[in-house]
Structure formats: C-alpha cells, structure tokens
Amino acid sequence: MAANLVCQVHPVVLFTIVDSYERRNEDNRRVIGTLLGTHDKGVVEVTNAFAVPHNESEDEVAADLEYAKNMFELHKKVNPSEVIVGWYSTGPDVSEHSLLIHEYYSRETKNPIHMTVDTTLRGNKMGIKAFISTQIGTPGKTVGTMFAPVQVEVTSYEPEKVGVDVIQGGKSNPKRSVYLVKDLTHVERACGMLQQKLAMVLEYAEDVLANRIPADNVVGRFLMDLVMKVPQIEPEDFEEMLNSNMKDLLMVTYLANLTRTQLALNEKLSIAL
Amino acid sequence: MASRRTFDSPVKYVQIDGLVVLKIIKHCQEEGTAGQDLVQGVLLGLVVDNRLEITNCFPFPRRNDDEDFDEVQYQMEMMRNLRRVNIDHLHVGWYQSTYFGGFINRALLDSQYNYQHSIEESVVLIYDPLKTTQGYLSLKAYRLTPEMMKFYGSRDQDFSSESIKAAGISFENMFTEIPVTIKNSHLVNSMLCEIDESLNEKQSFDYLDLGTSSMLEKNLRLLMESVDEVAIDANKFVNYQRQYQKQNLAKTQYLQKRQQENQQRIARGEKPLPDEDINKIFKPLQTPPRLDSLLITGQIDNYCQQIGEFSSQSFGKLFLAESLQENPPNPTAT
C-alpha cells in the first residue's frame, strides 16, 4: 500500500456526487456510492461513479449491495475497462460506519479508495479528500485500521476541459445559466481573455520599469520569449500569406453559399413541376 | 442565411445540467473511435413550462454482434435503478455523436420520429467530439417539425414528389434547432469554484489555432460526396420522368389505335373489341421515393452552414494575427 498513491478524479465524478447528494431521500444526511475507474502503477484514475441507496442511523448502516452489483454490471457493458476502485460519501468526516462499508469494498477490489466530498461546505470550501485504509498499531498486539489521506488531483480529457470551461461561464451569471454561443463569439471571448492577460503583463513590466517591484530575471526571460514568439516575417511576405489564406476562405464560403442557393432553387423548381 | 424558424413546438429551449454535458463528453471520448462510429445514449429529465430540462443521461453500449444483448432490458434495468436514487427516470430524448456534422440520414429520422411519436417533447442532442476537442463545445438540439411528423407518419404514402409538395416540406423545414442552455445548481457552482483552481493552470487557447485547412478539406470532401449522391438521385428521377413520358405516349397511341379499330369494326358491322384494362398492358411505373433526396439536400445544407461558420471564425483569427504583425514588436528592457 504505497502511501504515495495519487488519486486522479475527473470532473464528471464530482458532478455526479453532488447531484446524487442533492437528490437524496429526506431522511438521509449523507449519500454513498461506488467509484469506477482504472488503476495504473500508483495512480488511480476515477472516471465514473454512481449512487447506491443506503440507510443510516445512529448505530447501524445498511446499503443495498445487490443494487451496487447490478449497476456495476450495467456499467461494465458500456465500458468494460472500468473497474470498481472505491467508494465515495458526502459529508465532512469519516465515521465508524464508513469502516464497514469500506470493508465491503475491500472485497470487491484490492485497495479501495474512500473519497469524501464535503457538501456541508465547512470552512467555506468543498473539500475533496481521498483515503486508503492502512494498518496501524503494534504488530502482534492490537491491530487497527486507519484511513490515511491520499493526494487528490482533478484531471480531465481535452474535450472535458472544454466542457468544464463552458460550464464555468455560468458561475457568475445570476441566472446560473450559459448559452451555447456562436463560434465567432468564442473567438471574441478568447481575444478578450488574451487582452486581459496582456494587460496584466504590461502592468507588471511597467511596475518593474518604474522600480515599484524588484525585477525578477526568470519572469523577464519568459517575457522575452513571449515577445520573440511573434514570428519576424517581412511585411510583404506576411501580407501575401494572409491574403492567400483569406482568399481560400472566401472561395469556400462563396461555394457554400452558392450550393445553398442552388438547393433552394432546385427545391422550388421540383415542387413547381 | 436561412434561419431555422422556430415552429410552434411545445419546447422553446432546452436546459441541460452540467452533469449531462460532461457525461456525454466522457462517453464519446471513451468510445474513442475518432468519431467515425456512432455513439448513442438516452436523455432523462422532465418538461417544465416551455422548456425541456435534461437532468441526467446514460450511455448505450455499442452493439456487439457476438453478444446476445437485449437493449430494451438494459434500458429498463437502468431506469429502474436510477429511480431508486431519485434520478428523474422520464425519457425525454436521446443523444448521438456525429462526424463533421453528417447526421441527417434515414436512421436518425426513424429514431427521432419514433421518439417524438411516443413522447411529444423529445429532442435529439447532436454532439460533435472533434469540434469540441478543437475548443468549441458543439452541442445542438433538434426536433422534427410538426409537418414532417405528419408526413412521415402517413407511411402508406410513397414519398412521391406530389405528396411532398402537398405536405409542404422542403429541406429547410425538416428539423428545427432548439437553443440550448446549461444550468447548474448552487452547490455545483461552489464545486466548480473548487476545481477551478486545480484545473485552470493548463488552460489552452487551442481554438485560436490558425491551421484551418484540414478541417476545411474534410468538410468539403463530405460535401462533394453528398452532392454526388444528389446528382445520382436526380438522375434517377429524370430517367423516371423520361420513361413516364414514353409510357404515356405509348398509351395514348394504343388508345387511338383501339378507337380506330373499333370504328372500322362498327363500320363493318362487327362487335367492337372489348376495352382491355390498359394497365395490364403497360405496367405502371413506380414513382421513386423523394425522401432520400430531401435528406441529402438537408445534409448538404448543414455542411454548408458549418463551412460558413468555420470560415467566419478563421477570418476572425486571421485578423487577430494580422494585428500582431502591424506593430513591430519592441524588445522589452528588463
């Protein structure tokens, strides 16, 4: 049980967990569920999750394990490479009941990860933590298990990142919604972002020049790299490249519009005849 | 540009949970066939006022020919299980991945028709994984227009040009596009803030990439293929028309001959020949179905639209690059 295990979580999993928490039954204070993913030499990648109905009271806990097995089978049909890597629960702490559930999951997989997502927002943060169970105690005498924390990283595939970026846009909007925009607006937004970043860099450079901030060589070198990245081309050559590219695009756009008009004409003609 | 007019449909816009978007992305990513194969799944949610809320989804396993697999059972079991954890279990539509926007075909029409027939407000979400990898989240919702529904429903028709004309269908009003918004709950928003810090370091500006030719090429190639198909179809139709004319001519000639003969016979005092059923002699030609050509023209329209959008983006990017070159860079003094 390497203590330097890293747990990589995809955003999908976090969304699923929060969603299942929001949909919990009236009397449950927390939700549990299974985590699916892949192991790979010291890195556990969690790519999917589903909730498992359970009941919890002061002294006992009951989870529907039949359901868990069933759901896992169904999920395996879609993605056979995903295996159970652990389980999650919402709520700030690890409780005694967690141990029982953890034991069950130890039977399903070698070294289950227990992830907690703090939905009660203690300390104004939604803490995402992961644990594995380790043995503690003196060997030969009382042996117990402890939940040892494991480092959590949030990773994603390329398109997932794009999706998350788009969804992030809805954070500040009072209606909490994001419209999927036309592509040109996207370019506009990216442009705006670039401008902001450039403004920050400019401000920094000016501050250094006015001796308000001590100059940092490393940052300076980065800045120089940045400026040098703009390719130094003869203006005429660049004009030519730019124009030929634009001509290509114009031609294609023209063709596309022509085709559409042709289609519309064809439609009218064939209907009229 | 012909805008997709919003017809009177019970759904004015579609509201998707962030969760669903991510699940669709993940599923298409993991099936990983670079978009060539179709990836499908079911959308769950409910209808509120005039919007369709999609709150969850689950993927369909890819059809494995060697396994004996019951799709209906998979669906039923999945929905039953989801109901236990209070996830909305109402079917409201389905999603599909697409390769460069080439999704308007018979299969889609069939499936969407079936869905809309049983559930009035259902939509099909088309997700383009390649475009999303380039930086734009490409997710569109479509429904069949009421005219198309009525037309497609009357299966006894043979989709001839007359019936299409009568139903008033053109390639522009087969599908309507419904605007999509993404909405999240407050708790999810706080979680977003949390992962914002960890995920944001690797922010990429992929969509400012200037390399446009490969996408254009592929789009154009697909467009060319579609145009070829339309040409073949048009040829078939023209042939049919020609044959029809020939047949008509032959028919009138035959009738005339018959009449002449009958007159002659009457003049000679014999019984006139019985009128034979003309159809037995000249077999009626089948009118070719025009539905396929409708679909192909709709597809071409879609491709053209895509090309137009893509070119306008590229223009923007080119102008950006130009502005960088206009002012020669000053070396920073540090």
Side-chain angles (χ1 to χ4, degrees):
Chain A
M1 276 170 284
N4 45 3
L5 198 64
V6 175
C7 176
Q8 291 183 338
V9 185
H10 281 245
V12 176
V13 176
L14 296 173
F15 273 81
T16 320
I17 296 178
V18 174
D19 182 69
S20 60
Y21 175 72
E22 285 176 345
R23 290 173 183 280
R24 67 190 186 288
N25 282 323
E26 282 284 335
D27 40 354
N28 276 351
R29 264 196 17 241
R30 62 176 196 161
V31 195
I32 66 170
T34 312
L35 293 172
L36 303 172
T38 49
H39 299 278
D40 190 30
K41 17 178 169 70
V43 174
V44 174
E45 199 169 335
V46 184
T47 50
N48 206 344
F50 58 83
V52 173
H54 89 301
N55 291 315
E56 194 170 318
S57 61
E58 273 305 320
D59 22 317
E60 64 167 13
V61 65
D64 195 347
L65 302 172
E66 213 24 71
Y67 176 95
K69 240 195 254 301
N70 226 339
M71 276 294 255
F72 177 52
E73 290 298 310
L74 288 177
H75 273 115
K76 229 184 0 188
K77 288 209 181 110
V78 179
N79 194 344
S81 59
E82 275 182 351
V83 293
I84 299 186
V85 295
W87 63 292
Y88 70 82
S89 81
T90 59
D93 288 325
V94 173
S95 68
E96 308 99 34
H97 303 313
S98 312
L99 195 57
L100 292 165
I101 308 179
H102 198 80
E103 238 164 79
Y104 162 70
Y105 278 100
S106 319
R107 269 178 273 141
E108 297 285 325
T109 174
K110 217 171 15 161
N111 199 4
I113 299 245
H114 171 42
M115 188 152 68
T116 53
V117 175
D118 186 4
T119 42
T120 57
L121 297 175
R122 222 174 30 172
N124 292 331
K125 250 173 92 76
M126 185 180 274
I128 304 170
K129 307 195 199 86
F131 307 94
I132 54 171
S133 67
T134 49
Q135 305 273 354
I136 55 168
T138 45
K141 304 271 183 68
T142 41
V143 184
T145 42
M146 170 180 90
F147 280 114
V150 167
Q151 192 192 356
V152 175
E153 275 177 13
V154 181
T155 58
S156 59
Y157 303 125
E158 265 297 323
E160 271 185 346
K161 212 186 311 167
V162 174
V164 173
D165 277 338
V166 171
I167 302 177
Q168 298 268 16
K171 253 185 346 204
S172 25
N173 193 335
K175 280 207 297 199
R176 293 180 277 124
S177 60
V178 183
Y179 283 97
L180 286 182
V181 292
K182 280 247 146 340
D183 299 332
L184 197 55
T185 328
H186 240 119
V187 177
E188 193 189 314
R189 277 204 200 142
C191 199
M193 274 201 296
L194 259 185
Q195 267 189 319
Q196 269 182 349
K197 292 203 160 33
L198 279 176
M200 270 195 329
V201 170
L202 264 179
E203 209 184 292
Y204 172 79
E206 281 183 12
D207 280 343
V208 171
L209 283 177
N211 282 326
R212 282 193 286 263
I213 303 181
D216 185 357
N217 276 336
V218 177
V219 177
R221 249 174 251 137
F222 270 131
L223 281 178
M224 196 159 84
D225 276 342
L226 178 72
V227 173
M228 285 303 138
K229 278 222 170 93
V230 178
Q232 301 266 23
I233 318 177
E234 290 296 312
E236 298 94 29
D237 286 341
F238 183 76
E239 278 286 320
E240 213 184 292
M241 281 197 278
L242 192 74
N243 281 334
S244 66
N245 225 327
M246 281 220 246
K247 274 189 227 152
D248 284 339
L249 287 173
L250 276 173
M251 171 184 83
V252 172
T253 320
Y254 174 71
L255 261 180
N257 284 335
L258 188 66
T259 321
R260 291 181 92 198
T261 355
Q262 180 79 350
L263 284 180
L265 260 180
N266 180 34
E267 200 76 29
K268 296 280 180 286
L269 282 177
S270 59
I271 289 185
L273 290 176
Chain B
M1 183 175 99
S3 55
R4 305 248 185 223
R5 311 181 280 276
T6 39
F7 292 91
D8 235 0
S9 76
V11 177
K12 284 285 174 328
Y13 66 100
V14 175
Q15 185 179 285
I16 311 189
D17 260 11
L19 173 66
V20 176
V21 174
L22 284 182
K23 272 181 118 168
I24 296 180
I25 296 180
K26 167 193 177 308
H27 180 217
C28 294
Q29 174 81 18
E30 281 180 356
E31 288 290 302
T33 52
Q36 290 274 12
D37 270 349
L38 282 187
V39 156
Q40 295 177 340
V42 171
L43 298 171
L44 307 163
L46 56 149
V47 178
V48 176
D49 300 330
N50 62 350
R51 65 173 188 270
L52 179 65
E53 285 195 21
I54 302 183
T55 52
N56 216 322
C57 69
F58 61 85
F60 252 152
R62 210 143 34 124
R63 211 153 295 172
N64 296 326
D65 301 305
D66 37 37
E67 264 177 42
D68 193 19
F69 181 69
D70 193 359
E71 283 187 354
V72 180
Q73 199 201 12
Y74 172 83
Q75 258 197 16
M76 291 277 97
E77 266 201 57
M78 204 50 155
M79 307 243 278
R80 215 180 313 141
N81 284 341
L82 290 176
R83 199 179 352 193
R84 300 265 325 262
V85 280
N86 297 335
I87 294 183
D88 295 323
H89 55 278
L90 292 174
H91 241 144
V92 291
W94 58 301
Y95 67 84
Q96 181 179 297
S97 73
T98 176
Y99 181 65
F100 276 108
F103 56 85
I104 301 186
N105 54 23
R106 207 57 186 266
L108 184 102
L109 196 59
D110 263 338
S111 309
Q112 182 58 15
Y113 174 75
N114 285 331
Y115 260 93
Q116 256 179 264
H117 196 61
S118 35
I119 306 161
E120 222 210 298
E121 304 88 3
S122 60
V123 298
V124 54
L125 266 187
I126 301 285
Y127 166 71
D128 191 342
L130 289 164
K131 260 189 123 187
T132 312
T133 319
Q134 289 205 326
Y136 305 97
L137 180 59
S138 160
L139 203 59
K140 299 203 174 119
Y142 289 101
R143 282 168 56 79
L144 288 178
T145 54
E147 292 97 5
M148 193 65 184
M149 286 287 290
K150 237 186 315 179
F151 174 66
Y152 200 67
S154 48
R155 290 299 185 103
D156 47 327
Q157 295 191 7
D158 52 358
F159 304 129
S160 60
S161 36
E162 292 88 29
S163 53
I164 291 188
K165 205 192 324 188
I169 305 231
S170 80
F171 67 90
E172 282 175 345
N173 61 1
M174 283 199 297
F175 292 98
T176 51
E177 182 174 342
I178 309 229
V180 168
T181 67
I182 303 183
K183 193 166 170 169
N184 288 312
S185 64
H186 292 293
L187 206 53
V188 171
N189 278 340
S190 43
M191 184 197 70
L192 277 177
C193 299
E194 183 78 26
I195 63 181
D196 200 6
E197 302 157 357
S198 31
L199 213 46
N200 226 359
E201 303 133 11
K202 316 173 213 148
Q203 196 179 39
S204 58
F205 284 96
D206 266 348
Y207 41 89
L208 286 180
D209 188 22
L210 285 178
T212 55
S213 50
S214 62
M215 269 220 48
L216 271 183
E217 260 178 53
K218 287 209 193 86
N219 246 326
L220 277 180
R221 193 164 302 159
L222 290 167
L223 191 60
M224 285 199 297
E225 285 175 8
S226 307
V227 172
D228 276 338
E229 280 178 38
V230 166
I232 294 177
D233 200 72
N235 259 338
K236 263 195 270 182
F237 190 64
V238 166
N239 280 340
Y240 159 76
Q241 275 193 327
R242 228 178 280 151
Q243 282 187 330
Y244 189 69
Q245 298 285 26
K246 269 197 271 192
Q247 203 188 46
N248 263 345
L249 202 58
K251 267 194 217 174
T252 35
Q253 278 181 345
Y254 178 79
L255 279 174
Q256 272 182 343
K257 236 181 47 179
R258 256 305 158 86
Q259 266 193 333
Q260 275 183 343
E261 262 194 46
N262 277 343
Q263 281 174 348
Q264 284 178 353
R265 285 202 164 198
I266 290 175
R268 277 185 281 167
E270 289 173 3
K271 259 195 325 187
L273 286 172
D275 272 325
E276 282 174 16
D277 186 12
I278 196 146
N279 277 335
K280 272 199 245 163
I281 313 184
F282 297 96
K283 252 192 322 177
L285 291 170
Q286 269 210 323
T287 44
R290 308 290 287 140
L291 185 65
D292 283 331
S293 76
L294 248 192
L295 288 173
I296 299 177
T297 39
Q299 181 63 70
I300 295 186
D301 187 44
N302 201 13
Y303 282 141
C304 293
Q305 233 186 340
Q306 264 190 292
I307 293 183
E309 278 176 8
F310 186 69
S311 321
S312 58
Q313 280 164 32
S314 309
F315 272 128
K317 290 190 248 179
L318 282 177
F319 281 124
L320 255 182
E322 186 183 6
S323 66
L324 274 181
Q325 285 285 340
E326 264 167 26
N327 312 317
N330 295 318
T332 50
T334 32

